[in-house]
Amino acid sequence: MNLVINGDQKSFTEEKISITDLLKIEKVEYQDMVSVQLNEEFLRSPDYPGTFLKEGDIVNFLYFMGGGQ
Amino acid sequence: MKDFSDEELERYSRHILLADVGIEGQDKICAAKVLVIGAGGLGSPIAYYLAAAGVGTIGIVDGDVVDLSNLQRQIIHTNAEIGTPKVESAKRKMLAINPGVTVNTYKTMLEAANILDIIEPYDFIIDGTDNFAAKFLINDACVLANKAYSHGGILRFAGQTMSIRPRESACYACVFDSPPPAGIVPTCSSAGILGAVAGMLGTIQAAEALKFITGVGEPLYDTLLSFDAKKMDFRKTRLRKNPRCRVCSGAGITKLEDYEQPVCDLKRPE
Ligand SMILES: [Zn+2]
């Protein structure tokens, strides 16, 4: 399956990938520090395990950045 | 239009020469009121550039005093000003670069009880704060008061920013629903920041404010600009207003509440 993750094309051999799986595969360390966008829609974390990806999906991991001072 | 003196025409000549800005654009800049929240890593370049540009009224909010550990990145403050309130130190430098602007200082921390009064007189608000409680409060207040604003965040070698036109473009809470839980939150204070990265993001925010004022170009509405200075990768993520946003969708919020500020494990060097 081919997905676009944060702008990069990536191929996966897995047949069924949920958002939860993808977070693991992509080694996202702190799930609470990331907001997940699937084809421009934002997902809520309780929906991650039940949301499965399909060919060509565009996924963005957007990270919290709290600094400024 | 304002009657520009010869001194002002010369001072702003490089703006006036820009076909998109011109004398009309400079007139708008001189009439504008912009509030900068935080006189730190982001606020330093923002305040400098807004003053230099001739933004007529600039408000600056910060409750802290200058600390030695600030000077690695907070370029509006100097060694001689350690211990001085940041807003006073910043005001001095802003008037030194351009005595023609008015600087209003607010030596206070923003909270639900005072933020609406502070932002009320301003056309555009810039978030240069260093914690999620403040960032979410600023978003809520700007949506509630219908003020356009620039969000900014930095972390280590990275930065991100978006401009928000409340209820027309995606707000901060459309993207990040609510502050992350305490304890795991790396902020600038606990995680470190390359000083120049603060300058990179702050100058982008200052440019966004000037674009908003003059109507030049396309502000970062519905767009999260992120960069990673390690590779100098810049990326834009298209956003859409979140129909389930707890702040800006439907009825949205009707009153402000303070967010809990997570306690960092490390000593806060601010
Ligand atoms: Zn929103």
Side-chain angles (χ1 to χ4, degrees), chain B residues 170-171 173-174 245 247-249:
Chain B
C171 83
C174 287
C245 177
V247 178
C248 78
S249 71

Side-chain angles (χ1 to χ4, degrees), chain B residues 161-226:
Chain B
T161 179
M162 62 190 281
S163 296
I164 291 134
R165 177 90 253 190
R167 295 183 196 276
E168 288 175 28
S169 72
C171 83
Y172 185 53
C174 287
V175 184
F176 301 102
D177 179 67
S178 47
I184 58 149
V185 182
T187 71
C188 232
S189 316
S190 60
I193 177 73
L194 190 74
V197 165
M200 289 170 68
L201 194 79
T203 51
I204 291 172
Q205 291 186 279
E208 285 289 295
L210 294 170
K211 282 165 60 184
F212 174 83
I213 293 164
T214 56
V216 173
E218 296 160 29
L220 288 169
Y221 296 148
D222 286 323
T223 306
L224 183 73
L225 175 72
S226 328

Side-chain angles (χ1 to χ4, degrees), chain B:
Chain B
M1 190 177 342
K2 162 185 166 72
D3 221 353
F4 284 94
S5 68
D6 288 347
E7 191 266 350
E8 287 171 321
L9 289 173
E10 190 171 346
R11 175 184 292 274
Y12 302 125
S13 59
R14 298 306 189 275
H15 271 165
I16 294 167
L17 279 169
L18 290 168
D20 288 331
V21 178
I23 190 89
E24 294 81 10
Q26 187 60 49
D27 186 53
K28 288 178 186 164
I29 294 170
C30 291
K33 297 175 179 172
V34 177
L35 182 69
V36 183
I37 305 176
L42 297 175
S44 289
I46 294 166
Y48 258 136
Y49 275 109
L50 295 184
V55 171
T57 306
I58 306 165
I60 188 145
V61 188
D62 202 306
D64 279 338
V65 297
V66 179
D67 183 270
L68 178 58
S69 67
N70 300 152
L71 300 181
Q72 161 260 15
R73 63 200 177 284
Q74 302 186 10
I75 56 168
I76 208 161
H77 310 302
T78 65
N79 224 40
E81 285 158 313
I82 292 170
T84 305
K86 287 185 178 178
V87 291
E88 278 176 31
S89 161
K91 179 177 181 175
R92 213 174 286 156
K93 263 47 70 58
M94 292 159 78
L95 294 178
I97 207 167
N98 189 351
V101 300
T102 299
V103 179
N104 300 328
T105 58
Y106 305 86
K107 188 185 180 303
T108 180
M109 292 297 175
L110 283 184
E111 47 194 45
N114 65 13
I115 187 169
L116 289 174
D117 287 338
I118 292 176
I119 68 175
E120 198 275 327
Y122 295 93
D123 309 316
F124 191 82
I125 316 297
I126 305 182
D127 165 25
T129 62
D130 68 347
N131 66 83
F132 291 112
K135 289 183 189 302
F136 277 92
L137 180 65
I138 291 167
N139 184 69
D140 292 1
C142 287
V143 170
L144 201 56
N146 195 24
K147 297 279 183 187
Y149 91 101
S150 165
H151 160 81
I154 47 177
L155 183 67
R156 302 190 182 102
F157 294 88
Q160 66 186 16
T161 179
M162 62 190 281
S163 296
I164 291 134
R165 177 90 253 190
R167 295 183 196 276
E168 288 175 28
S169 72
C171 83
Y172 185 53
C174 287
V175 184
F176 301 102
D177 179 67
S178 47
I184 58 149
V185 182
T187 71
C188 232
S189 316
S190 60
I193 177 73
L194 190 74
V197 165
M200 289 170 68
L201 194 79
T203 51
I204 291 172
Q205 291 186 279
E208 285 289 295
L210 294 170
K211 282 165 60 184
F212 174 83
I213 293 164
T214 56
V216 173
E218 296 160 29
L220 288 169
Y221 296 148
D222 286 323
T223 306
L224 183 73
L225 175 72
S226 328
F227 69 82
D228 173 3
K230 277 189 184 171
K231 294 181 175 172
M232 279 305 165
D233 274 338
F234 279 73
R235 203 166 74 83
K236 277 183 181 175
T237 306
R238 284 291 299 167
L239 308 171
R240 267 203 307 234
K241 255 168 63 74
N242 186 338
R244 293 179 302 184
C245 177
R246 71 182 167 80
V247 178
C248 78
S249 71
I253 54 159
T254 50
K255 69 180 182 66
L256 295 180
E257 274 174 45
D258 285 309
Y259 291 87
E260 200 181 327
Q261 178 140 11
V263 180
C264 283
D265 294 327
L266 293 166
K267 179 183 169 286
R268 207 167 162 266
E270 291 293 327

